mmCIF file with all atom_site columns, all heavy atoms in Angstrom:
data_model
loop_
_atom_site.group_PDB
_atom_site.id
_atom_site.type_symbol
_atom_site.label_atom_id
_atom_site.label_alt_id
_atom_site.label_comp_id
_atom_site.label_asym_id
_atom_site.label_entity_id
_atom_site.label_seq_id
_atom_site.pdbx_PDB_ins_code
_atom_site.Cartn_x
_atom_site.Cartn_y
_atom_site.Cartn_z
_atom_site.occupancy
_atom_site.B_iso_or_equiv
_atom_site.pdbx_formal_charge
_atom_site.auth_seq_id
_atom_site.auth_comp_id
_atom_site.auth_asym_id
_atom_site.auth_atom_id
_atom_site.pdbx_PDB_model_num
ATOM 1  N N   . LEU Y 1 153 ? 40.074 -12.826 39.934 1.00 98.00 ? 153 LEU Y N   1
ATOM 2  C CA  . LEU Y 1 153 ? 39.574 -11.507 39.571 1.00 98.00 ? 153 LEU Y CA  1
ATOM 3  C C   . LEU Y 1 153 ? 38.809 -10.868 40.737 1.00 98.00 ? 153 LEU Y C   1
ATOM 4  O O   . LEU Y 1 153 ? 38.963 -9.715  40.984 1.00 98.00 ? 153 LEU Y O   1
ATOM 5  C CB  . LEU Y 1 153 ? 38.711 -11.605 38.320 1.00 98.00 ? 153 LEU Y CB  1
ATOM 6  C CG  . LEU Y 1 153 ? 39.393 -12.035 37.035 1.00 98.00 ? 153 LEU Y CG  1
ATOM 7  C CD1 . LEU Y 1 153 ? 38.364 -12.083 35.890 1.00 98.00 ? 153 LEU Y CD1 1
ATOM 8  C CD2 . LEU Y 1 153 ? 40.563 -11.144 36.665 1.00 98.00 ? 153 LEU Y CD2 1
ATOM 9  N N   . ALA Y 1 154 ? 37.957 -11.686 41.395 1.00 98.00 ? 154 ALA Y N   1
ATOM 10 C CA  . ALA Y 1 154 ? 37.128 -11.180 42.466 1.00 98.00 ? 154 ALA Y CA  1
ATOM 11 C C   . ALA Y 1 154 ? 38.009 -10.564 43.605 1.00 98.00 ? 154 ALA Y C   1
ATOM 12 O O   . ALA Y 1 154 ? 37.624 -9.566  44.204 1.00 98.00 ? 154 ALA Y O   1
ATOM 13 C CB  . ALA Y 1 154 ? 36.209 -12.242 43.011 1.00 98.00 ? 154 ALA Y CB  1
ATOM 14 N N   . ALA Y 1 155 ? 39.197 -11.208 43.846 1.00 98.00 ? 155 ALA Y N   1
ATOM 15 C CA  . ALA Y 1 155 ? 40.017 -10.742 44.936 1.00 98.00 ? 155 ALA Y CA  1
ATOM 16 C C   . ALA Y 1 155 ? 40.577 -9.317  44.703 1.00 98.00 ? 155 ALA Y C   1
ATOM 17 O O   . ALA Y 1 155 ? 40.995 -8.640  45.655 1.00 98.00 ? 155 ALA Y O   1
ATOM 18 C CB  . ALA Y 1 155 ? 41.226 -11.716 45.111 1.00 98.00 ? 155 ALA Y CB  1
ATOM 19 N N   . LEU Y 1 156 ? 40.577 -8.871  43.436 1.00 97.00 ? 156 LEU Y N   1
ATOM 20 C CA  . LEU Y 1 156 ? 41.074 -7.546  43.100 1.00 97.00 ? 156 LEU Y CA  1
ATOM 21 C C   . LEU Y 1 156 ? 40.115 -6.466  43.494 1.00 97.00 ? 156 LEU Y C   1
ATOM 22 O O   . LEU Y 1 156 ? 40.532 -5.299  43.638 1.00 97.00 ? 156 LEU Y O   1
ATOM 23 C CB  . LEU Y 1 156 ? 41.295 -7.437  41.564 1.00 97.00 ? 156 LEU Y CB  1
ATOM 24 C CG  . LEU Y 1 156 ? 42.388 -8.408  41.050 1.00 97.00 ? 156 LEU Y CG  1
ATOM 25 C CD1 . LEU Y 1 156 ? 42.472 -8.376  39.563 1.00 97.00 ? 156 LEU Y CD1 1
ATOM 26 C CD2 . LEU Y 1 156 ? 43.787 -8.070  41.581 1.00 97.00 ? 156 LEU Y CD2 1
ATOM 27 N N   . GLU Y 1 157 ? 38.831 -6.725  43.657 1.00 97.00 ? 157 GLU Y N   1
ATOM 28 C CA  . GLU Y 1 157 ? 37.795 -5.770  44.037 1.00 97.00 ? 157 GLU Y CA  1
ATOM 29 C C   . GLU Y 1 157 ? 37.737 -4.560  43.094 1.00 97.00 ? 157 GLU Y C   1
ATOM 30 O O   . GLU Y 1 157 ? 37.695 -3.442  43.494 1.00 97.00 ? 157 GLU Y O   1
ATOM 31 C CB  . GLU Y 1 157 ? 38.009 -5.301  45.489 1.00 97.00 ? 157 GLU Y CB  1
ATOM 32 C CG  . GLU Y 1 157 ? 37.878 -6.456  46.484 1.00 97.00 ? 157 GLU Y CG  1
ATOM 33 C CD  . GLU Y 1 157 ? 38.003 -5.993  47.934 1.00 97.00 ? 157 GLU Y CD  1
ATOM 34 O OE1 . GLU Y 1 157 ? 38.651 -4.905  48.160 1.00 97.00 ? 157 GLU Y OE1 1
ATOM 35 O OE2 . GLU Y 1 157 ? 37.510 -6.725  48.821 1.00 97.00 ? 157 GLU Y OE2 1
ATOM 36 N N   . VAL Y 1 158 ? 37.823 -4.935  41.791 1.00 97.00 ? 158 VAL Y N   1
ATOM 37 C CA  . VAL Y 1 158 ? 37.720 -3.886  40.752 1.00 97.00 ? 158 VAL Y CA  1
ATOM 38 C C   . VAL Y 1 158 ? 36.304 -4.013  40.151 1.00 97.00 ? 158 VAL Y C   1
ATOM 39 O O   . VAL Y 1 158 ? 35.890 -5.043  39.612 1.00 97.00 ? 158 VAL Y O   1
ATOM 40 C CB  . VAL Y 1 158 ? 38.758 -4.116  39.639 1.00 97.00 ? 158 VAL Y CB  1
ATOM 41 C CG1 . VAL Y 1 158 ? 38.507 -3.181  38.480 1.00 97.00 ? 158 VAL Y CG1 1
ATOM 42 C CG2 . VAL Y 1 158 ? 40.157 -3.933  40.207 1.00 97.00 ? 158 VAL Y CG2 1
ATOM 43 N N   . ASP Y 1 159 ? 35.505 -2.937  40.327 1.00 97.00 ? 159 ASP Y N   1
ATOM 44 C CA  . ASP Y 1 159 ? 34.079 -2.973  39.929 1.00 97.00 ? 159 ASP Y CA  1
ATOM 45 C C   . ASP Y 1 159 ? 33.869 -3.407  38.506 1.00 97.00 ? 159 ASP Y C   1
ATOM 46 O O   . ASP Y 1 159 ? 32.966 -4.185  38.158 1.00 97.00 ? 159 ASP Y O   1
ATOM 47 C CB  . ASP Y 1 159 ? 33.395 -1.659  40.202 1.00 97.00 ? 159 ASP Y CB  1
ATOM 48 C CG  . ASP Y 1 159 ? 33.197 -1.364  41.702 1.00 97.00 ? 159 ASP Y CG  1
ATOM 49 O OD1 . ASP Y 1 159 ? 33.282 -2.334  42.466 1.00 97.00 ? 159 ASP Y OD1 1
ATOM 50 O OD2 . ASP Y 1 159 ? 32.960 -0.224  42.029 1.00 97.00 ? 159 ASP Y OD2 1
ATOM 51 N N   . SER Y 1 160 ? 34.728 -2.912  37.577 1.00 97.00 ? 160 SER Y N   1
ATOM 52 C CA  . SER Y 1 160 ? 34.488 -3.152  36.150 1.00 97.00 ? 160 SER Y CA  1
ATOM 53 C C   . SER Y 1 160 ? 34.836 -4.611  35.755 1.00 97.00 ? 160 SER Y C   1
ATOM 54 O O   . SER Y 1 160 ? 34.519 -5.060  34.663 1.00 97.00 ? 160 SER Y O   1
ATOM 55 C CB  . SER Y 1 160 ? 35.300 -2.200  35.296 1.00 97.00 ? 160 SER Y CB  1
ATOM 56 O OG  . SER Y 1 160 ? 36.704 -2.228  35.702 1.00 97.00 ? 160 SER Y OG  1
ATOM 57 N N   . LEU Y 1 161 ? 35.438 -5.361  36.688 1.00 98.00 ? 161 LEU Y N   1
ATOM 58 C CA  . LEU Y 1 161 ? 35.723 -6.809  36.417 1.00 98.00 ? 161 LEU Y CA  1
ATOM 59 C C   . LEU Y 1 161 ? 34.581 -7.655  36.868 1.00 98.00 ? 161 LEU Y C   1
ATOM 60 O O   . LEU Y 1 161 ? 34.528 -8.857  36.535 1.00 98.00 ? 161 LEU Y O   1
ATOM 61 C CB  . LEU Y 1 161 ? 37.020 -7.260  37.143 1.00 98.00 ? 161 LEU Y CB  1
ATOM 62 C CG  . LEU Y 1 161 ? 38.311 -6.624  36.650 1.00 98.00 ? 161 LEU Y CG  1
ATOM 63 C CD1 . LEU Y 1 161 ? 39.487 -7.138  37.528 1.00 98.00 ? 161 LEU Y CD1 1
ATOM 64 C CD2 . LEU Y 1 161 ? 38.586 -6.945  35.169 1.00 98.00 ? 161 LEU Y CD2 1
ATOM 65 N N   . LYS Y 1 162 ? 33.590 -7.149  37.632 1.00 98.00 ? 162 LYS Y N   1
ATOM 66 C CA  . LYS Y 1 162 ? 32.539 -8.014  38.250 1.00 98.00 ? 162 LYS Y CA  1
ATOM 67 C C   . LYS Y 1 162 ? 31.688 -8.670  37.149 1.00 98.00 ? 162 LYS Y C   1
ATOM 68 O O   . LYS Y 1 162 ? 31.306 -9.859  37.379 1.00 98.00 ? 162 LYS Y O   1
ATOM 69 C CB  . LYS Y 1 162 ? 31.670 -7.119  39.134 1.00 98.00 ? 162 LYS Y CB  1
ATOM 70 C CG  . LYS Y 1 162 ? 32.419 -6.746  40.453 1.00 98.00 ? 162 LYS Y CG  1
ATOM 71 C CD  . LYS Y 1 162 ? 31.568 -5.934  41.417 1.00 98.00 ? 162 LYS Y CD  1
ATOM 72 C CE  . LYS Y 1 162 ? 32.325 -5.586  42.710 1.00 98.00 ? 162 LYS Y CE  1
ATOM 73 N NZ  . LYS Y 1 162 ? 31.584 -4.758  43.588 1.00 98.00 ? 162 LYS Y NZ  1
ATOM 74 N N   . PRO Y 1 163 ? 31.383 -8.053  36.001 1.00 97.00 ? 163 PRO Y N   1
ATOM 75 C CA  . PRO Y 1 163 ? 30.625 -8.774  35.008 1.00 97.00 ? 163 PRO Y CA  1
ATOM 76 C C   . PRO Y 1 163 ? 31.349 -10.005 34.570 1.00 97.00 ? 163 PRO Y C   1
ATOM 77 O O   . PRO Y 1 163 ? 30.698 -11.062 34.190 1.00 97.00 ? 163 PRO Y O   1
ATOM 78 C CB  . PRO Y 1 163 ? 30.403 -7.757  33.888 1.00 97.00 ? 163 PRO Y CB  1
ATOM 79 C CG  . PRO Y 1 163 ? 30.536 -6.426  34.565 1.00 97.00 ? 163 PRO Y CG  1
ATOM 80 C CD  . PRO Y 1 163 ? 31.541 -6.608  35.654 1.00 97.00 ? 163 PRO Y CD  1
ATOM 81 N N   . TYR Y 1 164 ? 32.666 -9.974  34.390 1.00 98.00 ? 164 TYR Y N   1
ATOM 82 C CA  . TYR Y 1 164 ? 33.440 -11.162 33.920 1.00 98.00 ? 164 TYR Y CA  1
ATOM 83 C C   . TYR Y 1 164 ? 33.469 -12.191 35.050 1.00 98.00 ? 164 TYR Y C   1
ATOM 84 O O   . TYR Y 1 164 ? 33.297 -13.381 34.718 1.00 98.00 ? 164 TYR Y O   1
ATOM 85 C CB  . TYR Y 1 164 ? 34.896 -10.700 33.663 1.00 98.00 ? 164 TYR Y CB  1
ATOM 86 C CG  . TYR Y 1 164 ? 35.067 -9.581  32.681 1.00 98.00 ? 164 TYR Y CG  1
ATOM 87 C CD1 . TYR Y 1 164 ? 36.086 -8.612  32.862 1.00 98.00 ? 164 TYR Y CD1 1
ATOM 88 C CD2 . TYR Y 1 164 ? 34.190 -9.405  31.580 1.00 98.00 ? 164 TYR Y CD2 1
ATOM 89 C CE1 . TYR Y 1 164 ? 36.204 -7.580  31.935 1.00 98.00 ? 164 TYR Y CE1 1
ATOM 90 C CE2 . TYR Y 1 164 ? 34.331 -8.385  30.708 1.00 98.00 ? 164 TYR Y CE2 1
ATOM 91 C CZ  . TYR Y 1 164 ? 35.355 -7.483  30.913 1.00 98.00 ? 164 TYR Y CZ  1
ATOM 92 O OH  . TYR Y 1 164 ? 35.485 -6.416  30.040 1.00 98.00 ? 164 TYR Y OH  1
#
Side-chain angles (χ1 to χ4, degrees):
L153 296 180
L156 297 172
E157 298 183 337
V158 173
D159 287 344
S160 52
L161 293 179
K162 290 180 179 178
Y164 307 143

